[in-house]
Amino acid sequence: MSFQFIKKLPTPDEIRQEYPLPKALAEIKQERDEAIRKVITGESSQFLVIIGPCSADNEESVCEYVSRLAKVSDKVKDKLILIPRIYTNKPRTTGEGYKGIVHQPDPEKKPDFLAGLIAMRKMHIRSIEVSGLTAADEMLYPENWRYLSDILSYVAIGARSVEDQQHRLTVSGFDVPAGMKNPTSGDLSVMLNSVYAAQHPHSFIYRGWEVSTTGNKLTHTVLRGAVNKHGNNIPNYHYEDLNLLLEMYNKMDLLNPACVIDANHSNSGKQFEQQIRIAKEVMHSRKLNSDIHRLVKGVMIESYIEEGCQKVGGGIYGKSITDPCLGWEASERLIYELAEYE
């Protein structure tokens, strides 16, 4: 066999017993989950802003960022629900590069998955402790979901994962909102079929168990732009794109029609500063059309303490080592401006 089995890792139950979520934080999560659920179902008029680093590579800087976010959250909580973006697994287009804290708790050292699982859980727990805000993460590996299933309030399924059967089936067992991104090809029907699959019950094999799920009615769409055969970025956040998605939703038997707009990635061409303009255009489209207003429930923004990005080992505290991000000052200003639209 080409596989080298290095060591057996602890199960999610074992990790959760060793690093439990304190009861007080579990109560915070329950309250946050309910508030976010009501946005997706349309019971609440609040708007979701999922914001934070491209990759959560350092506990100290991530928790400082989230602490700053909490202070802003207090000022806009009547209009916006801020969800820290704490992404601990990073998809890599070619398989090369930093893959997240689960792989490398120290980005400058070799992979250590046991230390990574512990670092991931400790960072998420500490983030709630310092901010009172429960976070979003990306489910890159379905089998890892239960290491954080008692902590997260939102889960993203990436453009490369959205067609995968195991991702769809695993989401069907979530009790929190899951955002299905359109694939890199831009085919919206793929994304909507993924939502349909995840909203329905399934039986399948998961972590060596036969399991059944009831379906996740909070599964929804995320528009992140696309790439054509020539490698050119194709944005899909414009008014016409939102109308098209609305028409496609209306033709399918889906519960809680909802969309979140990813302002970076192929929507911005990874020009991080364009996220400001894109988020504002989305808010303007919501003002123009009541149906779009009901459909679009939030935006995703990549943001960190320092703007831009650096290579691994660059040494600048709070600066992304993957995709470039908005800096703190611009991010704070944008949040206040988004609150003014509602």
Side-chain angles (χ1 to χ4, degrees):
M1 290 181 68
S2 296
F3 281 89
Q4 181 183 0
F5 288 80
I6 298 169
K7 61 183 174 184
K8 188 172 177 61
L9 295 170
T11 66
D13 283 344
E14 289 168 339
I15 291 285
R16 284 161 66 154
Q17 287 172 10
E18 189 169 356
Y19 301 94
L21 182 68
K23 182 180 178 181
L25 302 189
E27 291 173 354
I28 290 173
K29 171 176 158 54
Q30 185 175 5
E31 293 175 3
R32 292 259 302 169
D33 286 357
E34 180 63 12
I36 296 167
R37 182 194 69 79
K38 287 182 176 179
V39 174
I40 300 297
T41 62
E43 298 170 70
S44 168
S45 62
Q46 289 172 290
F47 190 74
L48 305 179
V49 179
I50 302 163
I51 184 168
C54 174
S55 58
D57 59 287
N58 178 281
E59 181 179 315
E60 293 301 323
S61 55
V62 167
C63 287
E64 179 179 333
Y65 176 90
V66 177
S67 296
R68 295 185 184 189
L69 204 61
K71 296 173 183 176
V72 178
S73 178
D74 286 339
K75 299 176 183 177
V76 298
K77 60 185 178 182
D78 291 341
K79 303 290 185 66
L80 308 177
I81 297 179
L82 305 188
I83 305 176
R85 176 192 161 101
I86 302 180
Y87 282 24
T88 55
N89 296 279
K90 292 302 300 175
R92 310 305 305 190
T93 303
T94 63
E96 294 293 323
Y98 174 66
K99 296 183 178 70
I101 201 168
V102 171
H103 284 253
Q104 292 170 272
D106 185 333
E108 297 185 57
K109 295 182 180 178
K110 292 182 178 180
D112 185 337
F113 287 92
L114 175 56
L117 290 170
I118 293 169
M120 170 181 71
R121 189 163 174 88
K122 288 176 67 178
M123 178 168 58
H124 270 287
I125 292 173
R126 181 180 169 192
S127 171
I128 305 172
E129 287 176 339
V130 301
S131 70
L133 303 177
T134 48
D137 202 342
E138 178 174 354
M139 188 181 72
L140 185 57
Y141 307 111
E143 63 271 25
N144 287 354
W145 156 245
R146 291 192 63 253
Y147 287 107
L148 288 177
S149 59
D150 60 330
I151 290 177
L152 298 177
S153 283
Y154 186 96
V155 178
I157 305 301
R160 298 163 189 82
S161 303
V162 73
E163 293 189 70
D164 178 65
Q165 185 80 344
Q166 192 76 357
H167 281 81
R168 294 176 172 191
L169 300 185
T170 304
V171 170
S172 74
F174 287 9
D175 58 0
V176 296
M180 300 291 203
K181 292 193 174 186
N182 64 262
T184 53
S185 68
D187 188 340
L188 302 187
S189 64
V190 168
M191 171 182 66
L192 287 163
N193 287 337
S194 188
V195 172
Y196 184 94
Q199 286 196 356
H200 288 76
H202 297 282
S203 297
F204 56 102
I205 297 171
Y206 183 73
R207 295 190 61 89
W209 285 77
E210 177 184 342
V211 301
S212 64
T213 61
T214 58
N216 180 0
K217 310 309 181 190
L218 303 177
T219 309
H220 57 277
T221 58
V222 178
L223 296 180
R224 50 86 72 201
V227 179
N228 68 16
K229 65 181 181 180
H230 301 293
N232 299 322
N233 290 301
I234 308 171
N236 60 10
Y237 61 85
H238 296 304
Y239 184 89
E240 295 79 7
D241 300 299
L242 303 179
N243 255 336
L244 173 61
L245 178 60
L246 185 63
E247 291 173 8
M248 295 178 75
Y249 251 118
N250 289 337
K251 294 176 182 177
M252 296 189 70
D253 182 22
L254 294 171
L255 296 173
N256 303 316
C259 180
V260 172
I261 309 301
D262 180 347
N264 212 14
H265 297 99
S266 293
N267 269 332
S268 70
K270 294 190 178 180
Q271 301 299 310
F272 69 91
E273 68 280 358
Q274 293 298 315
Q275 294 181 99
I276 298 170
R277 178 188 58 79
I278 292 167
K280 290 179 179 180
E281 181 177 325
V282 169
M283 301 306 279
H284 184 62
S285 294
R286 293 178 84 235
K287 289 184 72 172
L288 293 175
N289 186 318
S290 60
D291 291 333
I292 289 177
H293 192 281
R294 283 189 291 270
L295 177 70
V296 178
K297 308 289 189 181
V299 291
M300 292 180 172
I301 298 165
E302 291 194 319
S303 157
Y304 213 174
I305 296 172
E306 301 294 336
E307 73 171 24
C309 64
Q310 62 183 330
K311 292 182 179 180
V312 172
I316 300 176
Y317 178 80
K319 190 170 188 175
S320 176
I321 59 170
T322 45
D323 288 350
C325 298
L326 282 179
W328 173 252
E329 290 79 11
S331 301
E332 182 180 22
R333 186 163 56 248
L334 176 58
I335 292 170
Y336 291 135
E337 289 171 346
L338 294 179
E340 291 300 316
Y341 277 90
E342 291 300 303

